[in-house]
Amino acid sequence: MTTEFQKFSLRPEIIQALDELKFQKPTPIQDRTIPIIMEGNDVLGQAITGSGKTLAFGLPILQKINDKINKTQAVIISPTRELAIQIANELKAVAKHTKTRVLLIYGGVSYRPQEEGLKKGFHIIVATPGRMLDHLRRGARNFLRPKIVVLDEADKMLEMGFIEDIDKILYQMRQPKQQKLFFGATMPERVYKLTKKYMKNPKFVSLIREQQRKSRVPKEIQQYYYNVSDDTDKLNAICKTLDLIADEHENGNYKILVFVRTRKSADKLSRFLKEMGYETLAIHSDKSQFQREKIMNAFRNHAQLLIATDVASRGLDIDGITHVINYNMPQIHEDYIHRIGRCGRMGKKGVAITFISPDEHRMLTEIEQQLKTKINRLQLNQYSSRGGIY
């Protein structure tokens, strides 16, 4: 099978995996960034979520790995466990015909298996900041000398208060001629300070202006909103919406992701829906890592309804999500695009539905203006099984 990725002179094993994964054409950020990284430059990459940043740095890293040497050659730092898992899985999928080994490191689980993996010299480490810093403090820096270090979602690191940890990680892992790659949707001043401190003549690749001239919402996602007057009206609305989706998809071929604002709201809504007879899962940061992995596996394999806080919006990558419901309006524009971007992936159709209370219409207008998109009003009685809305 012919693929445009061949122009990057990637190893045949990588091209084979890309073919099998149906990746035929690089995204704009991949097209512009991969050659620069392959040349050994430090890179500051800026593009919106869903633009293919993982493979933009992942493919050059896999190409550069010498899998005959059992030592860590690249470290990728990610802000959340969910995103770290997503990155590691994507790299493993593309590396499946090579001998490259990827180790995932995050908190909430035992140190010992991770420490053993670090000592064995997994070629690529994907880690969250807190646990990576813990390992460095426990002695990992004595043998962890990667040639490439990546910060993914660097702006999110700042938002989540990890920037000081990142500074310490970069300092402790620094090596002569080490290549550094920073990626994010935005590049705040404090992130720029890190680039000045640790990067050498970085190449800046930004698609933001180009992307902002267009709608930032994929054309595959249909967007709607309901007006709701109060909490009781909202509860009625979600039950009606879930029923309509189930009626439209009699074969059961759908998955619904519902976003709420707080952990308490997630549990409360989950209990209510279970009492109403809906099979419901809920995930948030109060769940243990074991519980979160169990819930995500269930949602991947058979469950159809998951309630989540925004902890899941950046890292969640589940095949087959057909609907996203914003039960609570997101508080910032970026959260809206991150949330609804969980559906309508890989060219498939998706539906995003947002519940709007009377005091949230201003935020709705701001989202439309910022994302250059249109969110259409829908009445709950405006349902046609032939309309394909649900």
Side-chain angles (χ1 to χ4, degrees):
M1 187 180 294
T2 303
T3 170
E4 290 189 29
F5 284 99
Q6 290 173 327
K7 67 183 178 181
F8 300 126
S9 300
L10 298 168
R11 296 155 61 185
E13 302 94 327
I14 297 175
I15 293 295
Q16 181 184 352
L18 290 170
D19 281 344
E20 292 170 358
L21 293 166
K22 309 299 184 185
F23 292 150
Q24 292 299 304
K25 183 178 180 180
T27 65
I29 190 66
Q30 293 165 3
D31 205 29
R32 297 187 193 183
T33 306
I34 289 174
I36 301 174
I37 298 176
M38 297 275 261
E39 292 172 356
N41 297 287
D42 287 0
V43 171
L44 194 58
Q46 190 176 4
I48 62 174
T49 295
S51 55
K53 287 179 288 192
T54 299
L55 288 188
F57 59 76
L59 290 177
I61 287 175
L62 291 172
Q63 178 67 19
K64 288 169 174 277
I65 292 295
N66 183 347
D67 51 26
K68 296 179 181 178
I69 301 175
N70 289 328
K71 63 177 292 187
T72 300
Q73 298 165 48
V75 172
I76 301 166
I77 308 297
S78 170
T80 67
R81 287 175 285 192
E82 287 75 20
L83 186 54
I85 291 169
Q86 176 186 330
I87 292 170
N89 288 341
E90 193 161 349
L91 292 178
K92 288 176 182 178
V94 179
K96 66 180 180 179
H97 297 302
T98 73
K99 295 181 180 179
T100 300
R101 297 183 299 163
V102 181
L103 178 65
L104 182 59
I105 289 179
Y106 51 78
V109 295
S110 173
Y111 280 93
R112 182 169 292 179
Q114 297 177 357
E115 288 176 330
E116 291 175 354
L118 286 167
K119 291 176 181 177
K120 287 179 181 177
F122 275 64
H123 303 105
I124 301 173
I125 307 295
V126 183
T128 52
R131 181 52 68 96
M132 189 73 248
L133 187 57
D134 287 344
H135 279 295
L136 290 170
R137 287 168 176 161
R138 292 162 69 98
R141 63 179 176 180
N142 295 330
F143 51 85
L144 192 59
R145 299 179 175 89
K147 294 181 179 179
I148 305 171
V149 176
V150 181
L151 294 189
D152 191 32
E153 302 275 9
D155 50 341
K156 187 65 174 177
M157 304 275 197
L158 177 59
E159 290 176 22
M160 297 177 69
F162 290 139
I163 206 71
E164 292 182 359
D165 287 350
I166 293 300
D167 194 354
K168 293 174 183 176
I169 290 169
L170 293 174
Y171 181 78
Q172 293 187 36
M173 290 198 305
R174 69 194 187 285
Q175 296 294 317
K177 299 182 179 179
Q178 187 180 71
Q179 187 177 18
K180 295 185 178 66
L181 314 171
F182 291 5
F183 283 82
T186 61
M187 287 295 162
E189 180 60 30
R190 290 191 68 187
V191 174
Y192 272 119
K193 287 182 179 178
L194 285 182
T195 70
K196 295 173 184 177
K197 185 174 181 179
Y198 292 106
M199 296 179 117
K200 297 178 181 178
N201 302 316
K203 302 291 184 181
F204 182 55
V205 180
S206 176
L207 276 71
I208 294 298
R209 288 185 181 179
E210 176 181 322
Q211 291 166 331
Q212 286 180 343
R213 285 196 293 267
K214 307 174 184 177
S215 170
R216 294 180 59 188
V217 178
K219 63 181 183 298
E220 291 83 6
I221 301 177
Q222 302 175 58
Q223 300 173 86
Y224 303 100
Y225 75 91
Y226 290 139
N227 281 325
V228 291
S229 56
D230 53 30
D231 289 343
T232 299
D233 193 21
K234 191 180 289 189
L235 290 171
N236 291 332
I238 193 166
C239 290
K240 182 67 172 177
T241 301
L242 295 177
D243 290 344
L244 291 174
I245 293 171
D247 288 344
E248 180 70 10
H249 299 268
E250 294 180 358
N251 59 2
N253 188 24
Y254 64 89
K255 283 188 185 293
I256 306 168
L257 179 59
V258 180
F259 280 108
V260 295
R261 191 167 296 149
T262 66
R263 292 165 290 186
K264 184 177 179 180
S265 297
D267 288 334
K268 183 177 180 181
L269 180 59
S270 178
R271 285 195 299 270
F272 169 79
L273 291 176
K274 285 178 180 178
E275 290 172 359
M276 298 299 293
Y278 300 94
E279 295 185 10
T280 308
L281 299 172
I283 188 169
H284 51 69
S285 58
D286 273 357
K287 303 281 187 182
S288 69
Q289 186 58 33
F290 174 78
Q291 289 174 316
R292 291 168 73 168
E293 290 179 359
K294 185 178 180 180
I295 290 167
M296 293 312 302
N297 285 334
F299 191 53
R300 286 187 180 95
N301 296 324
H302 60 83
Q304 294 175 303
L305 177 60
L306 176 65
I307 301 170
T309 55
D310 282 308
V311 70
S313 65
R314 286 201 178 233
L316 190 63
D317 188 14
I318 302 294
D319 289 338
I321 294 178
T322 54
H323 299 74
V324 169
I325 298 175
N326 291 312
Y327 186 79
N328 294 125
M329 185 74 166
Q331 294 178 305
I332 59 175
H333 313 135
E334 289 300 320
D335 282 345
Y336 179 84
I337 193 70
H338 289 310
R339 287 180 177 189
I340 71 168
R342 301 311 100 195
C343 69
R345 300 174 75 87
M346 302 298 291
K348 296 179 181 178
K349 298 294 183 181
V351 176
I353 300 170
T354 303
F355 295 160
I356 303 293
S357 60
D359 61 344
E360 292 175 327
H361 279 272
R362 180 177 178 181
M363 185 62 176
L364 177 71
T365 301
E366 290 179 1
I367 286 175
E368 289 182 318
Q369 292 173 346
Q370 289 290 326
L371 303 183
K372 292 180 170 52
T373 190
K374 177 64 177 175
I375 306 173
N376 298 298
R377 183 180 177 184
L378 199 63
Q379 301 282 359
L380 275 173
N381 59 5
Q382 287 181 319
Y383 173 74
S384 167
S385 62
R386 296 183 180 182
I389 291 176
Y390 294 97

